Structure formats: structure tokens, C-alpha cells
Amino acid sequence: MSALRPILLACLIALMPAPAVGGAWTRAEGDGVLISTIGRQGNPTTFFTLPGGSEDKASAQLYVEYGLFEDITVGGSLFTETGLGQEDVTGSASAGLFLRKRVYRDDEGSVASVQIGVAAPIDRLFGSTFANSTSENPAEVRIFALGGTSWWGDWGSIFISTAAGFAWRGEGEADEARAELVTGYKKHPCCLPILSFYATHSFGPGEASLKIAPSFAYSPPPSEEEIAKAAEEEREPQRKTTYQLGLSYDMLDGDGSLGVTFSIWRKF
């Protein structure tokens, strides 16, 4: 399970369109990860061949989480989204914090956790035009229930992670129910293909969303420095860095919006 956990976290974080739930597994005490993600979303006809259209967007996210105790993980994120192909720079930006508490774990690879988080807009840090360009970036309070399980054998390993929760949204925006399902198969230590689904239901006039998001994560072999350090500490060397490329498509979006993300995460 420890070998799957970091790549699973990278997958969940990279493909969400906003600061994301990090999965049901808590990190080991003193273990942390920093993940940087960039992405683009737009119509495929302009996405690959033409300059950004009025509906095209670029995003960036920094995410960190740290094992405060064995069963408690804390973290935070910074997220920005910017419109492309527009004369003025428009978009949104937010910062978030969360705490995840593991409430169940068994010897068969299953785990359950609860997570509470808050997020607040920081648009004004990017200028008045940026701050006034959107009204859909309110403060939020998020509560999630998370569960995960895995199986392994000579054929490799498989994991499934689920999450469901509620987001209270300020400034008169409709509250939302959110859910996710993520599964991946690992045959070799370096490589992990992943398939994810993310759903959002608005309790107001907002539109529902159901995204499918395939991705592929690659972890290079440990560095010579890490191998030497592991030998000195009498442990297995770790793959400290992972690169992940993913796609996302909203199956309920009539405009056919396609998303592409690239993430680099680094354990510390």
C-alpha cells in the first residue's frame, strides 16, 4: 500500500478542477509531498491547433500535505485559473487548508477517513481586473467521507478510492454535493495507469458535472543519493519524484470541453 499511496495522491490532486480531496489514505508521520500542476481546458478544435478562444482556460495549482501523526494528515493548496484569448487577464484564484483523520484501517488493505477543509478567494492579489472577472469563486467549507481498498499479488496491484461530501459555498452561490471514484493498476514500480470519475451536483441553478479522467503516472528509478541514503538507513530506496499526464472530459458539458494536466510531485 505504501508504494501506491503517493501516486494515488498525485492522481487525485492533479485532475480535479479545484483544490482536491487527497484520497482516503493518511501519510506516515513526518512524511510529506509537494505537487505542482499546470493544465489547460477548452474546445479540442482550438486546444491543439489555434490560439486560445474565449472559453479556453489555463490553470495552475500548488498542493502540499504532511503526516502530522500516523492517523492525521494536514495540507493546503493554492489554485489559479486564467482565461485565454482575452484582452484583459481574467480568472479566479483561491487558497485552501484541510485536515484528514483516518477512522478505520484493516490488514486487508482497506481504509476509511473523514476530511474537513476550507477555501477562500485570493483574486485581489492578482489585480482588480482579475478580481472582478468572476462571481463563481466564493469561500467554501468542505466535508468529505473517504474510503479506499487495494489488492495485490504476483500479477501486480489494484487500488480503488472513493469520496463523497458536501461543500457549503458563500456569497449566495449554490451549495454542492461532490463525489469521486478512482482506480488504478500497477504492474511495475515505475508505471501506473489510472481512471477517475468526478461528479458535482448543485443544489441551486448551477449545472451538474460528470468528468471522466484517464491519466498515466511515471516514477523514475531512485537517484544514487537516495540509494546510498537508504542503504545507510537499512531501508528500501524510494522513488522521490513522479510525473503525471492526464486528460479530463465532462460528459455533461455540451460544448465538448477537454482538459489536459501535467503534474510533478516530490516527496519530502
Side-chain angles (χ1 to χ4, degrees), residues 13-249:
I13 297 159
L15 294 178
M16 289 293 284
V21 175
W25 289 270
T26 54
R27 303 195 68 84
E29 182 175 347
D31 182 27
V33 63
L34 174 66
I35 299 177
S36 305
T37 301
I38 57 174
R40 183 174 172 184
Q41 183 172 355
N43 190 293
T45 58
T46 62
F47 191 95
F48 295 107
T49 60
L50 301 173
S54 60
E55 299 301 321
D56 289 352
K57 300 176 182 179
S59 63
Q61 180 172 262
L62 287 177
Y63 177 98
V64 62
E65 66 173 40
Y66 179 78
L68 190 62
F69 302 105
E70 182 184 358
D71 60 344
I72 295 179
T73 292
V74 296
S77 62
L78 296 173
F79 177 82
T80 65
E81 186 175 72
T82 306
L84 300 175
Q86 302 177 18
E87 190 171 316
D88 296 323
V89 177
T90 62
S92 62
S94 63
L97 298 171
F98 74 86
L99 182 147
R100 185 184 314 129
K101 174 69 169 69
R102 190 182 68 225
V103 296
Y104 173 81
R105 181 178 65 181
D106 63 22
D107 296 332
E108 303 300 321
S110 297
V111 63
S113 300
V114 294
Q115 179 169 307
I116 184 168
V118 296
I122 55 172
D123 305 321
R124 296 191 180 278
L125 297 180
F126 296 84
S128 58
T129 302
F130 197 87
N132 295 328
S133 64
T134 179
S135 61
E136 297 180 357
N137 186 32
E140 292 188 353
V141 177
R142 306 159 178 163
I143 301 176
F144 284 90
L146 310 100
T149 190
S150 63
W151 304 267
W152 54 89
D154 295 338
W155 43 266
S157 57
I158 296 174
F159 74 80
I160 295 177
S161 178
T162 61
F166 175 81
W168 173 88
R169 311 180 79 209
E171 301 178 21
E173 294 292 328
D175 300 335
E176 292 180 346
R178 300 173 184 174
E180 65 184 40
L181 171 66
V182 182
T183 183
Y185 170 67
K186 186 177 183 182
K187 175 63 175 177
H188 305 287
C190 65
C191 306
L192 180 65
I194 304 161
L195 181 62
S196 311
F197 295 89
Y198 302 103
T200 300
H201 170 74
S202 174
F203 292 102
E207 296 182 356
S209 173
L210 178 58
K211 290 189 175 183
I212 181 172
S215 67
F216 184 81
Y218 172 72
S219 299
S223 64
E224 293 183 3
E225 180 182 355
E226 167 62 16
I227 293 174
K229 183 177 180 181
E232 184 177 321
E233 297 175 355
E234 298 183 348
R235 60 172 174 81
E236 289 294 323
Q238 300 181 20
R239 296 172 182 256
K240 292 281 189 178
T241 304
T242 292
Y243 304 96
Q244 184 183 16
L245 180 65
L247 300 174
S248 64
Y249 181 79

